Amino acid sequence: LTFPRLHHLDKLDGGCRVYTVLGSVKDKSKEDGPASTSVSDKLYVFGATPEIDFINFTIKSLVTQKILFEEDSNVWQNRNITYFLALGTRAYTIINATSELGFTVYRASSILFQLLFNYVVLGHVPRRAFVPWESMTKARRSQSAGEITGADVGDAKARKKRVATIPHDPESMCVIKFSPNQQTIDKIGKNSLFTFWYFVRHHLFARSNSVIPELEQWIPGCGPKLIRKGYTIYTQFGSLTPQQILDIYLDFSSWPEFKSSS
């Protein structure tokens, strides 16, 4: 739960709070000696979190190959990591969202998680099995969030209300199993994961960002290439599926002009 906050504090003061926590994880097979059955190529992580923060932290760790995916770490080195996570229903709705659900739900987190990880739903468990319990006041406020009008679009309070309208069951948590999608990682290339992360985050900052004008800013004159692929001047990033966004990135990064692009 506190990894994102601890990592932020480490960046501010050069501390090692996160690595101190990770360093407490021991390899039991090594402690038992060479005669024991070794499972050192696998690592299973179990946890529970009501919000999306840890998912975003895991995505960032993967694309930077740091923290949870640190190759030089004694604990995590050469591990096949699988997560079993009890996730709040609002957070699960976000990571499982499609473009049809609208931009309040379908964000960069949705696209990155669906592309970079394989995941399955194992079932649901009672929210009250975990502490701290969610306050009923907060739960009722989420469920009874007011309607949003067109005039409210630019208002910060309206944005909070839209987030509160994301489907949420305060009595339940969704248990998911997920692990890195090696097939997609190989397509992008480990050394290019952060570039891909930036590409998605930048272009999904606003749902109305249009594909051709946006990419023309990086590589002037690339519009005809995209038109031949079936995109129009009106095609918006927010209307594309994760696979379509990946396809655009793979095309974009394969063009000769890409290496000299800002």
Side-chain angles (χ1 to χ4, degrees):
L1 288 174
T2 59
F3 267 170
R5 177 176 176 274
L6 294 179
H7 183 50
H8 178 67
L9 292 174
D10 284 345
K11 288 197 296 184
L12 292 179
D13 62 13
C16 56
R17 299 170 183 83
V18 171
Y19 287 106
T20 299
V21 175
L22 296 180
S24 66
V25 180
K26 305 300 181 185
D27 190 331
K28 192 70 167 62
S29 63
K30 291 180 180 179
E31 291 180 0
D32 291 344
S36 66
T37 302
S38 176
V39 291
S40 58
D41 63 327
K42 297 183 184 298
L43 182 67
Y44 298 102
V45 179
F46 296 83
T49 176
E51 306 296 344
I52 194 75
D53 295 4
F54 180 75
I55 293 292
N56 288 331
F57 178 72
T58 305
I59 292 171
K60 188 74 174 290
S61 295
L62 177 62
V63 301
T64 58
Q65 295 292 290
K66 300 292 185 182
I67 315 297
L68 301 175
F69 296 91
E70 184 76 72
E71 290 189 349
D72 295 332
S73 166
N74 291 332
V75 176
W76 314 105
Q77 190 174 23
N78 299 320
R79 302 302 180 113
N80 296 315
I81 303 179
T82 300
Y83 291 87
F84 295 85
L85 193 66
L87 193 62
T89 52
R90 181 182 288 118
Y92 174 72
T93 300
I94 293 173
I95 65 169
N96 194 50
T98 62
S99 58
E100 287 78 14
L101 289 179
F103 196 47
T104 300
V105 186
Y106 185 63
R107 307 301 297 262
S109 297
S110 317
I111 293 160
L112 290 164
F113 185 82
Q114 291 175 34
L115 287 172
L116 297 177
F117 294 91
N118 294 315
Y119 68 101
V120 294
V121 177
L122 301 181
H124 291 77
V125 292
R127 172 66 180 86
R128 291 177 73 84
F130 300 92
V131 293
W133 289 352
E134 183 173 9
S135 72
M136 293 311 296
T137 302
K138 179 181 177 182
R140 282 195 296 268
R141 190 164 62 244
S142 295
Q143 289 179 320
S144 61
E147 292 295 324
I148 312 300
T149 65
D152 293 327
V153 169
D155 183 41
K157 290 183 178 179
R159 285 196 293 272
K160 288 184 179 180
K161 284 184 178 180
R162 287 200 300 274
V163 170
T165 59
I166 297 173
H168 172 54
D169 179 4
E171 299 296 333
S172 176
M173 293 186 78
C174 183
V175 181
I176 63 172
K177 173 186 177 182
F178 66 96
S179 58
N181 184 342
Q182 198 58 50
Q183 186 175 3
T184 299
I185 293 171
D186 290 341
K187 284 182 181 179
I188 299 170
K190 265 190 177 182
N191 295 332
S192 300
L193 285 173
F194 189 80
T195 306
F196 175 66
W197 175 87
Y198 178 81
F199 179 88
V200 175
R201 296 272 298 183
H202 177 78
H203 293 300
L204 267 293
F205 184 77
R207 182 179 177 82
S208 58
N209 282 342
S210 297
V211 172
I212 292 178
E214 284 290 312
L215 295 190
E216 285 266 8
Q217 294 183 42
W218 300 110
I219 300 179
C222 70
K225 295 181 181 180
L226 294 165
I227 292 172
R228 285 195 292 271
K229 293 284 185 178
Y231 302 103
T232 73
I233 196 71
Y234 303 108
T235 305
Q236 297 178 341
F237 275 100
S239 66
L240 300 176
T241 66
Q243 185 59 51
Q244 287 175 318
I245 291 175
L246 175 61
D247 290 343
I248 286 178
Y249 171 79
L250 293 175
D251 277 339
F252 177 68
S253 60
S254 70
W255 297 337
E257 304 93 335
F258 176 76
K259 289 185 178 180
S260 60
S261 165
S262 60

